Structures are given as structure tokens and as C-alpha cells.
Amino acid sequence: MPLSAYAAPFAGLALANITREYPNFLAHLITSPDERPAPRSLHPAFYGAYDWHSSVHMHWLLVRLLRRHGGTPVLPDTGPAVDVLDRHLTPGNLAVEAAYLRDRPSFERPYGWAWLLALTAECRAHRGAAGARWAEALTPAVEAVDRLLADWLPKATYPVRHGNHPNSAFALGLALDSGELSAATDRAVRERLLAWFTDDHDAPAHWEPSGQDFLSPALSEADAMRRVLPKDRFPQWLDGFLPALGSGVPCPLLDVPVVSDHADPQIGHLLGLTLSRAAALRSLADALPDGPVRTRMDEAARAHLSAGLPAVERGDFTTDHWLATFAALALDPVAHG
């Protein structure tokens, strides 16, 4: 299933959400009774889509769709999207966003940071003056994230392994894929991933999923290690980390999650898990030689994708403000260009 088949509805979702200021989950510490912050005053670029990180990655989705399919029969009219991106991704707006990040070193760490890097990379890859303009405007925020990552990594003694936003492996893998890190920070990320995960084995796959996961801790870790281990070492590491894949016995990571209530904001995270697993399984399978393990993972990726795609556009803001991003990752992974 190509991303092009969903280009128009996904672009419509992204455009609607990044310009919707309310409802808004404002993750801002209020320090006095006189403060009455409005989302747009704090985040002039990323005020929409319910929360900051969702706004950032829905911008990423819109730019990716414009780059891949803008001006084609599936997405012919790019004017409204370009106009909104031009209004949001300005040097002035992004200077405010960069200052906010610098002043609050744990804000959106590391998930939102990684998506900001991914957005910048997508803008830079977009042909034409618009993409270059947006990428240039984002540069101060990227520099802030690079510095924040460099300062944080030496203190991050342990990884966060659960299946929500603070997950260390998913964010750092996405950051590496962006190519936006300085050489020193890129090296520090790779070293930290190797220090955290090289000796891991026998992952408790039977513990997954947890009740509000939108990421798989085990698959996110494996996908991060795919990025940093030599290609000839990765299959052996994966066999030790998830031995059930090679043994042929049932593995819960390959079973599509049951989502009992799509409208529940936390249970609905499992829809994202379905799609993020599809993306991870596809990328992991592509890193393996032909054989039974690769076949099992390919089949599971297709099953997860088929189950997750129908839930993306439901007219329910609890999922509409974010889920299409993970569908795009599953259909067209970042690491695949």
C-alpha cells in the first residue's frame, strides 16, 4: 500500500490539525497567578494539534506529503498547505520556539526533540525555495535540540523503556535518521545506544503490550540497534534479544493488538502501536537476510498495517490529531528515504 493512496486525506488531516489551537494540552509550568498563557503566545509555530509534539510531527507529515506527492494527481493543490507552512515556519516564530526549548531543558525530551529534527530534515529534502526557507528558519531550534541532547546524554544513565513519549530508543533512532545532528552529538547518540542496549538479551516480549502503549519497547530498541550495529552483527544481536522470532514459537510482538475503545485517548494509543509496530517490523525485516525470521516479520508488518490504517481518519480528535503520522511511517519509513 503506497503513501500516495492516502496523500490527500492525510494532508487534509495535517492541515486541519496544525491550525486548530483548541482543545490544547499545554505542557507549561505556570509559576504565578498572573500567568494566563495561550498556546499561540508560547508556541507561535506549533500551537495546534492538541500538543506540541503532535503539532511538530503533523507539520512533518504535511511537508513529507508535499515533497513526495505535491503537484501530482493525488495532491494537485499545494497552495493552502504552503501558505500555512509559510505562516508557521518563519524565523520569528522559530526563534520563539528555540528560546522556549533552551529555557526548559526537559521540555519534550526526547520525543518532541526528535520530531523537530525529522521535520527539519524533511524541509531540507523538499525541493525548491519553500523547503529551504523552512529549514533555514528551523535552524536555531535544531541547534538548541543538538545542544540539549549533548548535555542530557551523559546524564542519561538508564534508558526509558516503556511504550510512550519518553521512550529513549524510538526518539534517538529518529534523531539519527534525520541527519540533522552535529557530528559530535551524532556520535554521542550512537555511543549511548550501544552502551544501553548491546548486552540486552531475552527481551520480555510477553509483557507487551501495556495498556496505553503507542510504541513497542522491544521493537523500538531493536530498531535503534539496527541503526548503530554493523550490518553483519545485527542479525545475531536480534536473535539473542528476541529469540522467539527465530524459534518459530508464538511471539506477542507479531500479534495485532486488541483495541477495545478507539475513542478512549489512552486505549486509543494502541492504534498507534499497531502502526508503529508495522513500521518497525518492516525496517527490521529489511535489515535481515532472507529466511523464516524475515518472512514472519514481513507478514506481521502487513497484518498490523492492514489493521491500523482504517482507524486513521475517523473524525475523532483524540486520534485524528496524531495517528496519520504513524500511518505514514508504516507506509513510507523515514529510513527508507
Side-chain angles (χ1 to χ4, degrees):
M1 285 174 278
L3 179 59
S4 60
Y6 300 90
F10 283 9
L13 275 175
L15 195 57
N17 278 286
I18 65 174
T19 55
R20 179 182 291 141
E21 188 169 4
Y22 298 100
N24 198 295
F25 188 81
L26 195 60
H28 176 78
L29 179 65
I30 295 175
T31 58
S32 80
D34 298 325
E35 282 191 74
R36 297 289 188 271
R40 198 184 296 247
S41 67
L42 296 177
H43 301 297
F46 305 122
Y47 61 84
Y50 187 67
D51 50 35
W52 194 87
H53 53 259
S54 298
S55 183
V56 173
H57 65 63
M58 290 297 266
H59 278 77
W60 169 87
L61 174 62
L62 190 58
V63 177
R64 190 166 186 83
L65 292 168
L66 290 177
R67 179 168 77 87
R68 294 291 209 192
H69 306 295
T72 70
V74 299
L75 196 60
D77 184 9
T78 61
V82 172
D83 287 346
V84 167
L85 290 165
D86 274 340
R87 290 202 304 271
H88 288 189
L89 304 181
T90 68
N93 287 349
L94 272 303
V96 174
E97 299 285 2
Y100 193 95
L101 288 166
R102 288 193 300 270
D103 291 344
R104 297 161 180 83
S106 62
F107 176 71
E108 292 286 353
R109 183 180 75 194
Y111 181 80
W113 295 357
W115 276 114
L116 188 135
L117 297 172
L119 168 60
T120 306
E122 202 61 45
C123 291
R124 204 177 304 284
H126 186 285
R127 293 185 180 90
R133 184 165 65 244
W134 303 330
E136 180 64 24
L138 281 157
T139 297
V142 168
E143 292 173 347
V145 166
D146 190 272
R147 183 70 261 161
L148 289 166
L149 263 173
D151 290 344
W152 170 62
L153 286 169
K155 300 181 289 186
T157 306
Y158 309 107
V160 176
R161 298 178 184 269
H162 66 59
N164 274 273
H165 306 90
N167 182 282
S168 304
F170 176 83
L172 295 188
L174 195 61
L176 290 177
D177 286 346
S178 75
E180 293 292 328
L181 296 173
S182 67
T185 304
D186 183 283
R187 183 168 57 253
V189 168
R190 294 175 186 276
E191 290 172 353
R192 180 54 65 194
L193 288 170
L194 290 168
W196 281 337
F197 300 136
T198 297
D199 294 334
D200 281 3
H201 56 88
D202 298 312
H206 60 286
W207 287 1
E208 295 191 34
S210 187
Q212 56 188 38
D213 285 352
F214 68 90
L215 299 168
S216 162
L219 293 179
S220 294
E221 177 176 336
D223 209 18
M225 292 299 280
R226 169 187 64 80
R227 294 165 167 101
V228 297
L229 282 175
K231 290 183 178 180
D232 59 343
R233 286 185 54 199
F234 176 68
Q236 181 180 4
W237 179 90
L238 184 65
D239 184 56
F241 183 62
L242 292 171
L245 292 175
S247 68
V249 303
C251 179
L253 299 177
L254 305 181
D255 298 333
V256 175
V258 174
V259 187
S260 62
D261 185 353
H262 289 200
D264 183 286
Q266 298 303 323
I267 296 173
H269 271 184
L270 293 167
L271 296 167
L273 176 65
T274 302
L275 293 166
S276 68
R277 275 189 181 181
L281 287 164
R282 175 180 170 184
S283 295
L284 292 168
D286 286 351
L288 297 177
D290 290 338
V293 176
R294 178 170 181 155
T295 298
R296 289 185 81 193
M297 297 181 88
D298 273 331
E299 290 173 349
R302 288 193 294 271
H304 279 75
L305 184 59
S306 295
L309 279 175
V312 172
E313 190 178 11
R314 300 174 48 250
D316 183 340
F317 187 62
T318 58
T319 51
D320 282 359
H321 78 273
W322 67 281
L323 196 56
T325 304
F326 284 86
L329 286 180
L331 290 162
D332 189 22
V334 169
H336 291 216

